[in-house]
Amino acid sequence: MHVVANRLQLTLAILKPDCMACPHIVSEIRRLIINNGFLFVQTKIVKLSRPEAEEFYQIHQEKFFYNRLVTFMCSGPIGVHVLARDDAINTWRKLLGPTRVLRTIFEEPDSIRGRFGLTDTRNCAHGSDSEETAKQEINFFFPNLNIEKWKKEVGQFLKENGNVVYDEKLCEHIPQR
Ligand code: IDP
Ligand code: MG
């Protein structure tokens, strides 16, 4: 496992209800995340209430797709992951591929959305789009995670060649202190 300790960045990834309904797709995406050098910092599987989904996507409340997006996002369990890597935000969005699946399946067929997305709304997974939104989104799901403290402590630990082990059951990398 190689992680660039001094440029760690955190992002929020969500495996959406369409994806979570297919265990083999969940496994494949988790494998891709690990093979692309990310650490799973925190994981939880939750089902959002409608008000929670509305709050998470409030930035889109004026968009034509808002209602169907919120309905979809609270239709079943979602897998929520805080991921860490150097350049985590852009790297995860690049792996995901563009938002609109019906174009992405032609333009970036090897991306996650290209391979597994169903429609423009049911597009398999989410990724934060900036440091600012990553912070807000991580805080939305994991209010007790102190991002700066985590980066400092785990960054230092990794720089000193500290080892992390992936716990498949928890879907988290655990520092071996
Ligand atoms: P992103 O997820 O790639 O950041 P956003 O523009 O932030 O894309 O949109 C949030 C989510 O809203 C998308 O992931 C998708 O589920 C849904 N969405 C975005 N644009 C459309 C659209 O044109 N039609 C239907 N659903 C859309
Ligand atoms: Mg977005």
Side-chain angles (χ1 to χ4, degrees), residues 16 57 60 64-65 69 93 99-100 113 120-121 123:
K16 297 186 180 186
Y57 279 116
H60 293 307
F64 73 93
F65 56 78
L69 173 61
R93 282 189 69 93
T99 309
R100 297 231 176 91
R113 283 166 167 169
D120 288 351
T121 304
N123 62 358

Side-chain angles (χ1 to χ4, degrees), residues 18-153:
D18 58 328
C19 172
M20 292 299 282
C22 298
H24 68 286
I25 297 179
V26 173
S27 303
E28 171 65 5
I29 294 175
R30 288 180 179 181
R31 192 188 66 77
L32 272 173
I33 288 172
I34 291 170
N35 289 352
N36 279 276
F38 288 94
L39 294 179
F40 279 102
V41 177
Q42 300 256 289
T43 286
K44 68 179 174 191
I45 294 173
V46 295
K47 189 166 182 294
L48 292 178
S49 66
R50 189 166 183 100
E52 286 167 339
E54 285 173 352
E55 188 188 338
F56 186 76
Y57 279 116
Q58 62 180 315
I59 190 166
H60 293 307
Q61 62 187 322
E62 304 301 329
K63 307 268 173 63
F64 73 93
F65 56 78
Y66 180 65
N67 186 43
R68 72 179 88 143
L69 173 61
V70 166
T71 303
F72 166 56
M73 287 303 288
C74 58
S75 68
I78 57 174
V80 190
H81 307 284
V82 178
L83 305 181
R85 224 198 84 142
D86 63 299
D87 201 21
I89 293 171
N90 287 329
T91 306
W92 173 238
R93 282 189 69 93
K94 186 86 198 103
L95 272 178
L96 266 183
T99 309
R100 297 231 176 91
V101 165
L102 301 183
R103 279 220 314 252
T104 300
I105 49 179
F106 297 107
E107 292 176 0
E108 294 193 35
D110 297 332
S111 66
I112 288 172
R113 283 166 167 169
R115 291 171 66 190
F116 306 120
L118 300 177
T119 64
D120 288 351
T121 304
R122 293 183 290 158
N123 62 358
C124 191
H126 166 87
S128 309
D129 63 5
S130 69
E131 286 251 9
E132 173 91 20
T133 46
K135 207 171 146 191
Q136 282 168 12
E137 292 177 356
I138 290 168
N139 196 47
F140 181 91
F141 286 102
F142 302 97
N144 296 327
L145 177 64
N146 182 329
I147 296 175
E148 289 314 313
K149 186 161 170 261
W150 187 92
K151 281 203 283 202
K152 204 167 148 209
E153 287 179 3

Side-chain angles (χ1 to χ4, degrees), residues 1-18:
M1 162 62 56
H2 180 69
V3 181
V4 182
N6 48 11
R7 285 185 290 133
L8 283 177
Q9 187 182 56
L10 301 192
T11 191
L12 189 85
I14 301 178
L15 305 191
K16 297 186 180 186
D18 58 328

